[in-house]
Amino acid sequence: MERGKLSVIKESASGPFYKLQGRENGKNLTRYVPREQVPAVREAIEGYKQFQALAEQYAHEVITQTRAAIAAGSKKKPSRQKSSWPKSRKSSSS
């Protein structure tokens, strides 16, 4: 898995030169990628995009369930919760 955008820096007679650019820890990070690694880096970038899509889908499902649970809970009357403290008896004055 890899984040960022793969770009061609320049073309030469021997072929293109590539860089991977992205943000990491709030800073712009550029890494030069050898030609032989380009297919693997592209695959890794696609893997990260798939991860993001799955994480978004999961978050959507959890949010939907949470909202449904909250809505179901708000339809019920609020019940008095019992205290774990023992009841204290009121002293009777004679």
Side-chain angles (χ1 to χ4, degrees), residues 2-3 5-10 16-22 28-38 41 45:
E2 184 69 75
R3 282 190 270 215
K5 181 180 177 184
L6 188 63
S7 305
V8 175
I9 299 171
K10 68 177 184 173
F17 289 86
Y18 295 91
K19 70 176 178 179
L20 177 65
Q21 192 171 16
N28 193 25
L29 178 69
T30 300
R31 187 177 66 138
Y32 299 98
V33 179
R35 283 185 207 108
E36 63 273 3
Q37 292 180 5
V38 168
V41 171
I45 291 170

Side-chain angles (χ1 to χ4, degrees), residues 39-81:
V41 171
R42 282 190 176 134
E43 188 177 328
I45 291 170
E46 286 303 313
Y48 183 72
K49 288 178 183 178
Q50 182 182 10
F51 166 76
Q52 284 183 306
L54 290 171
E56 182 63 33
Q57 182 181 354
Y58 175 72
H60 176 72
E61 291 297 322
V62 171
I63 289 168
T64 301
Q65 289 176 3
T66 302
R67 288 177 180 166
I70 290 170
S74 67
K75 292 177 185 174
K76 296 179 183 176
K77 289 184 179 179
S79 62
R80 282 185 71 169
Q81 294 183 2

